[in-house]
Amino acid sequence: MPLQQKATSLIGRPVGISMRNGTGASGILCSVQGGEVYVLQYLYQSQFATFHYPFNQIADIIPFPACR
């Protein structure tokens, strides 16, 4: 499945994002637009921020597994 299609199917879900440079990010995938994904991430205390990542920097997007 192409990465953009995969990302679109995961909107509203918690995801992990593997970047091509070896780093990663996690949060709620909010939207896909303009060749980027927008992810709501926790900062600290009660603060959250939306970050955007271009598809050309993303290796993969993985949904969080269910709790057991």
Side-chain angles (χ1 to χ4, degrees):
M1 173 184 305
L3 193 55
Q4 284 187 294
Q5 185 179 1
K6 185 177 185 180
T8 301
S9 72
L10 294 172
I11 291 174
R13 295 190 53 195
V15 297
I17 300 175
S18 299
M19 307 303 282
R20 293 188 186 277
N21 68 4
T23 62
S26 63
I28 305 294
L29 201 157
C30 294
S31 69
V32 175
Q33 56 187 351
E36 298 182 322
V37 295
Y38 289 78
V39 182
L40 181 64
Q41 294 178 231
Y42 174 71
L43 297 177
Y44 56 90
Q45 291 183 340
S46 61
Q47 295 183 8
F48 293 83
T50 302
F51 292 83
H52 56 101
Y53 302 99
F55 279 108
N56 65 359
Q57 294 179 10
I58 298 173
D60 202 5
I61 300 174
I62 308 293
F64 270 57
C67 296
R68 294 180 185 210

